Amino acid sequence: MATSTPSSNASASGSVRASGSGSVGSVTVTDPRAPLWDHVNILEKAKPGAAGGKVHWKCKYCPFSTATSYTRVEAHLLQIKNKGVALCPNVSYEMLCDMRKEVQRCKEIVERERTRYVPLPTGSAPSNETTAMKMKKKRGPASALEKAWDLDNRRHLDALLARAFYSGGISFNFARNPYFREAISFACSHDLNGYVGPGYNKYRESLLVQERRHIERLLESSKSVWPEKGVTICSDGWSDPQRRPIINFLAVCDKSPMFLRADNCQGEIKTKEYIADKLRGIIEDVGRHNVVQIITDNAANCKGAGLILEAEFDNIFWTPCVVHTLNLAMKSICEPKPPKSNSSDDELFIWSQLEFMYNVKNEAQMIKNFIMNHGMRLSMFNEFSDLKLLSIAETRFASVVCMLKRFVEVKTALQHMVISDKWSIYKDDAPTALVVKEKILSDVWWGNVDFILRITTPIYEMIRIADTDTPCLHLIYEMWDSMIEKVKKEIYLWEGKELNEDCTLYSVIYDILIARWTKGNNPLHCMAHSLNPRYYTKKWLEEGVGRVPPHKDREVSQMRMQCFKKFFRSPEELAQVKEEYSRFSSCSEEFNDPDSIHDRFAVSPMTWWTNHGQSIPLLMTLAIKLISQPASSSCCERNWSTYSFIHSVKRNALTAKRAEDLVFVHSNLRHLSRKTDAYKKGETRLWDVSGDSWDSMGGVGLLEVADLSLDEPELQGVSFGVGALSIGETASTTVTNEGDGNEA
């Protein structure tokens, strides 16, 4: 419908505005400031310069006509007496109510559109009005460059955005968010005069649903590689701020975890059958032929659910989370349970060997709490150290090691602090301060700390590698063997013994590690180990003592055959894959080529199979799937950090469904963003990492709490003083939430 602009517009004082309401010929024009012009016919427009802006009009409901301003139209139609105009006799009560509602609605629209703001300073504020006038006079008119770039409005927009950040309590890190920057750029590059942003309900309802559908379409490209590379389903449980039990499900493929959904289990008993039923639905959604394994923690109901599904599906294994297994081993070593009065001789013997670790851990905790909980002592410590003592939750992986590592880093600062005059002068907590001083100055105590770190470093390093989304299933079996050998070497070196001598401490730790490995070992680990070409090379075999290729290892061979029989049910396929593995493992026939043999050690397993595996299609298909899988459910643990970020105490009124939609959007936007080049460089580099501590990434940060999603290499350098690694490097580290990883 075309829009006409009368020459004289009716405003509040009576003239028809450019977007006014009325009929001029056959053209209807609507103005929220004068909505009742729609109910009369304009016979003659107001003449330019005429006093009062009178318009000649005729009522649509009665024969009355006159030349007046808009206020008389209101009086005539709305039955307002004593306004010098006759009242319309044909306006019924219902019509009167509708017109009054229309007038009120238009007033509200006009009120909302009225700009209200407190002027913001765009430069340094003058001290008084006289100074401001002098500065303005001295500065003179704006230059051509300033006019061209509209610098005043740019500075004003900066101030408005800053006000939004400050008033909303938004993290400064949000300024690096690529989607925020894209929205600002889009708005400034398009002519959107009169645009009003979405309201409260639109953000939380229609736009949220629209964004989820959009992201689901974008994820289709990631899902297209699932048939070839396979998928790992990871699951874990959590309780939200309203204490509703929630189980989340993620699909991991090619280093990229994808959030699938989170189910509210309120009112349900999380039995193994219930969890199996939930996982069964996820498997059907993903595609049963795409799923390689299901990873959960070591809880009894999760294990039971995994075994149910493993028996039901021919091609799916349940795999316990390697990181949970290692963390339980670390706890058994560093935090042994004190013996009870009815403890057995074996338990007493284990306690006698590991008691010093238990004591060192408690003493370090005591020192940390003493300093952090006393204002004066903390002030003294801050004078001597730029680093803070880490206060790590008990549910964090390898929390004891993280805490002791930080103690070693601040050792010099602690010693300088306790021998300073301030430490002795302050007497309010003198008895405890004396004990703390004795421990910090004790070479024996620091020697025990160093010994514990030496023993646990191999375990901690394996946790670092496994606690990522990087494919490492094919490395786990060999890493366990190497880790145990490194622990043995450190213990024997510390105690000055030969490797062929007996060592009671090592025998205790060895039994703990083997017991955990036996519970966590899985045929899939051995199968993936067998398909890593590197483990058949002479160079790898010579790097370690007692190494044998996978096809000569009895345990590996037995479990490999279990996998073959599960994956290949028909006798013909089983016979074919056995023959293919024989040629692959013995480097016979086409695999006796010099390039093939050289590349086994020189290139990655995926590259080798892609270049040299075409002649053994069954084994190649299986190998590509297995060497693309992770070995832990850490992505689920990190997803709970996202959940708590979104469903916080401040937003605990969110429904379970809306919270799930927000987590789906947030997690998968990160998933998509990390595949772009902008994530690795530029203004938005690592935009979802570290929050406001980003400013300290250039050096040593002041982190007090290691509550971080640390598969981010830069954060490793801040937290533990380790040099930053490249994006996606295998050895990137995390300190992640253990969640509900209680062992049966």
Side-chain angles (χ1 to χ4, degrees):
M1 182 172 61
T3 303
S4 174
T5 305
S7 59
S8 179
N9 305 323
S11 62
S13 62
S15 59
V16 180
R17 300 183 61 85
S19 57
S21 171
S23 296
V24 182
S26 60
V27 180
T28 300
V29 186
T30 301
D31 182 1
R33 293 177 177 80
L36 295 183
W37 283 119
D38 284 338
H39 299 271
V40 301
N41 292 321
I42 296 178
L43 303 177
E44 183 179 357
K45 296 180 293 184
K47 295 180 180 180
K54 294 183 178 181
V55 177
H56 191 192
W57 55 272
K58 181 180 182 299
C59 179
K60 290 183 177 181
Y61 309 114
C62 71
F64 181 78
S65 65
T66 185
T68 65
S69 64
Y70 175 74
T71 55
R72 299 297 193 277
V73 177
E74 280 188 325
H76 176 72
L77 295 173
L78 298 182
Q79 308 292 310
I80 302 175
K81 298 179 180 180
N82 301 323
K83 291 294 184 179
V85 66
L87 307 183
C88 182
N90 296 333
V91 174
S92 66
Y93 178 77
E94 291 78 7
M95 294 169 61
L96 181 62
C97 292
D98 290 340
M99 283 189 284
R100 286 176 177 173
K101 289 179 180 178
E102 183 179 2
V103 170
Q104 182 62 31
R105 180 180 63 84
C106 291
K107 286 182 179 179
E108 293 174 355
I109 292 175
V110 172
E111 184 68 19
R112 285 199 301 269
E113 290 179 348
R114 182 179 299 171
T115 302
R116 288 197 182 102
Y117 65 92
V118 178
L120 292 174
T122 57
S124 57
S127 57
N128 53 55
E129 186 177 354
T130 303
T131 306
M133 293 177 63
K134 289 181 179 179
M135 290 176 63
K136 184 175 181 180
K137 183 176 181 180
K138 182 178 181 181
R139 187 172 183 274
S143 66
L145 182 62
E146 287 180 321
K147 290 180 179 179
W149 288 97
D150 202 5
L151 294 183
D152 283 341
N153 285 336
R154 289 171 183 265
R155 283 191 285 264
H156 190 69
L157 179 58
D158 287 344
L160 291 174
L161 290 173
R163 170 185 283 183
F165 270 69
Y166 307 151
S167 62
I170 301 173
S171 167
F172 298 142
N173 181 58
F174 186 71
R176 297 193 298 114
N177 186 292
Y179 307 107
F180 169 72
R181 299 176 70 88
E182 182 182 3
I184 296 295
S185 176
F186 182 88
C188 293
S189 59
H190 292 76
D191 187 9
L192 300 176
N193 290 333
Y195 169 77
V196 178
Y200 169 79
N201 287 320
K202 193 171 184 179
Y203 272 123
R204 65 198 289 265
E205 293 175 356
S206 59
L207 286 179
L208 180 58
V209 173
Q210 172 186 305
E211 183 67 7
R212 173 159 186 161
R213 290 173 180 170
H214 175 66
I215 292 174
E216 287 172 347
R217 289 193 296 270
L218 295 178
L219 293 175
E220 290 301 321
S221 60
S222 298
K223 295 179 181 179
S224 63
V225 302
W226 287 358
E228 179 183 1
K229 293 189 175 181
V231 177
T232 293
I233 302 297
C234 296
S235 179
D236 190 36
W238 186 66
S239 295
D240 68 8
Q242 295 187 24
R243 308 307 299 167
R244 291 178 299 208
I246 297 175
I247 300 178
N248 66 354
F249 302 94
L250 283 85
V252 186
C253 176
D254 196 23
K255 299 189 290 187
S256 299
M258 181 187 299
F259 179 81
L260 299 176
R261 75 171 191 239
D263 290 347
N264 181 10
C265 305
Q266 190 171 18
E268 302 287 348
I269 300 175
K270 291 191 284 186
T271 62
K272 61 182 181 180
E273 291 81 10
Y274 177 80
I275 297 175
D277 185 60
K278 291 289 184 181
L279 286 168
R280 190 179 294 110
I282 294 293
I283 291 172
E284 295 298 335
D285 292 342
V286 171
R288 62 174 64 191
H289 297 294
N290 297 331
V291 180
V292 175
Q293 62 176 343
I294 298 168
I295 300 182
T296 65
D297 58 35
N298 301 332
N301 54 350
C302 295
K303 180 178 180 180
L307 296 178
I308 290 174
L309 296 172
E310 189 175 302
E312 182 177 340
F313 296 97
D314 294 343
N315 62 311
I316 298 176
F317 277 89
W318 170 76
T319 307
C321 177
V322 171
V323 177
H324 281 86
T325 303
L326 288 168
N327 192 62
L328 291 171
M330 183 83 81
K331 280 190 172 183
S332 298
I333 294 171
C334 296
E335 303 176 65
K337 296 180 180 180
K340 299 179 181 179
S341 57
N342 58 348
S343 299
S344 64
D345 292 340
D346 289 340
E347 292 174 336
L348 292 173
F349 175 73
I350 294 173
W351 171 255
S352 67
Q353 296 299 313
L354 302 179
E355 181 181 6
F356 78 97
M357 295 192 186
Y358 177 85
N359 292 335
V360 168
K361 178 256 180 183
N362 285 343
E363 289 162 354
Q365 190 80 28
M366 180 270 295
I367 294 172
K368 179 188 70 66
N369 291 339
F370 176 75
I371 295 174
M372 298 297 291
N373 295 339
H374 291 74
M376 289 298 297
R377 302 301 182 185
L378 180 59
S379 176
M380 296 177 199
F381 176 75
N382 289 337
E383 292 180 11
F384 291 93
S385 175
D386 292 330
L387 287 172
K388 303 301 179 184
L389 294 173
L390 289 179
S391 179
I392 305 174
E394 291 297 324
T395 55
R396 300 290 159 182
F397 291 137
S399 58
V400 174
V401 176
C402 296
M403 180 176 65
L404 294 181
K405 277 178 174 286
R406 180 52 57 90
F407 261 86
V408 172
E409 291 175 351
V410 299
K411 175 183 176 181
T412 303
L414 288 171
Q415 291 179 335
H416 286 169
M417 176 184 66
V418 297
I419 63 176
S420 66
D421 294 337
K422 286 186 177 181
W423 187 268
S424 302
I425 292 173
Y426 189 70
K427 300 291 186 180
D428 286 2
D429 46 23
T432 308
L434 181 61
V435 175
V436 170
K437 181 177 181 179
E438 290 176 354
K439 292 298 179 185
I440 291 176
L441 297 179
S442 171
D443 291 337
V444 174
W445 191 81
W446 285 109
N448 287 334
V449 170
D450 187 37
F451 184 36
I452 293 172
L453 291 178
R454 283 176 177 269
I455 294 174
T456 56
T457 292
I459 307 174
Y460 177 69
E461 288 177 347
M462 185 173 174
I463 290 177
R464 288 175 57 191
I465 296 174
D467 192 19
T468 66
D469 306 315
T470 303
C472 60
L473 183 68
H474 57 292
L475 306 174
I476 296 301
Y477 189 90
E478 190 275 332
M479 283 197 296
W480 266 98
D481 279 346
S482 299
M483 180 263 291
I484 293 175
E485 287 299 319
K486 291 177 182 177
V487 170
K488 179 179 180 180
K489 182 179 178 181
E490 293 295 342
I491 294 176
Y492 275 73
L493 182 63
W494 183 269
E495 296 193 355
K497 293 185 177 182
E498 298 294 331
L499 294 178
N500 57 358
E501 297 183 57
D502 291 332
C503 177
T504 53
L505 176 60
Y506 172 69
S507 65
V508 169
I509 294 178
Y510 175 81
D511 290 341
I512 291 173
L513 294 176
I514 290 298
R516 293 297 179 187
W517 165 247
T518 303
K519 289 184 178 181
N521 189 21
N522 185 280
L524 209 60
H525 293 143
C526 297
M527 183 75 253
H529 175 78
S530 298
L531 296 178
N532 191 338
R534 177 169 297 189
Y535 298 148
Y536 297 87
T537 61
K538 182 180 179 181
K539 189 173 181 179
W540 179 81
L541 294 172
E542 291 176 349
E543 286 181 350
V545 179
R547 287 183 174 178
V548 295
H551 66 291
K552 294 183 180 180
D553 187 299
R554 182 176 179 180
E555 180 186 19
V556 173
S557 297
Q558 289 176 346
M559 293 196 173
R560 182 176 61 249
M561 288 307 301
Q562 290 183 28
C563 290
F564 279 156
K565 292 176 181 178
K566 182 176 177 66
F567 286 130
F568 305 100
R569 292 287 180 170
S570 69
E572 294 79 10
E573 286 188 339
L574 182 59
Q576 180 182 343
V577 78
K578 286 181 181 178
E579 192 272 334
E580 290 180 356
Y581 178 75
S582 175
R583 286 152 50 197
F584 161 72
S585 60
S586 61
C587 295
S588 59
E589 300 184 18
E590 68 269 36
F591 298 108
N592 198 26
D593 179 75
D595 286 340
S596 173
I597 294 175
H598 173 268
D599 287 350
R600 288 189 177 221
F601 191 87
V603 301
S604 68
M606 179 65 75
T607 302
W608 189 93
W609 279 103
T610 304
N611 291 331
H612 303 287
Q614 291 77 16
S615 61
I616 47 176
L618 291 180
L619 202 62
M620 177 184 176
T621 301
L622 180 60
I624 289 177
K625 284 189 174 183
L626 293 188
I627 62 181
S628 301
Q629 307 309 316
S632 75
S633 58
S634 296
C635 57
C636 288
E637 313 291 357
R638 289 189 287 275
N639 183 251
W640 294 134
S641 298
T642 301
Y643 232 106
S644 60
F645 166 72
I646 289 173
H647 201 177
S648 61
V649 174
K650 292 182 179 179
R651 305 178 70 188
N652 62 4
L654 284 173
T655 64
K657 180 62 173 65
R658 184 164 291 128
E660 182 199 358
D661 287 342
L662 287 168
V663 172
F664 180 92
V665 170
H666 182 92
S667 297
N668 290 323
L669 278 176
R670 295 177 65 188
H671 162 82
L672 294 167
S673 176
R674 293 185 176 203
K675 293 177 177 292
T676 63
D677 291 336
Y679 185 79
K680 301 175 183 179
K681 57 186 177 181
E683 293 289 337
T684 60
R685 175 175 174 264
L686 299 177
W687 62 270
D688 56 343
V689 176
S690 81
D692 286 339
S693 62
W694 174 261
D695 292 338
S696 65
M697 287 297 173
V700 178
L702 302 178
L703 299 183
E704 296 185 11
V705 181
D707 187 10
L708 305 169
S709 173
L710 289 179
D711 59 346
E712 330 296 357
E714 277 71 10
L715 294 188
Q716 175 66 12
V718 173
S719 300
F720 306 110
V722 179
L725 306 174
S726 61
I727 301 295
E729 190 165 343
T730 302
S732 57
T733 297
T734 85
V735 179
T736 31
N737 195 332
E738 182 185 355
D740 298 331
N742 298 321
E743 186 188 22

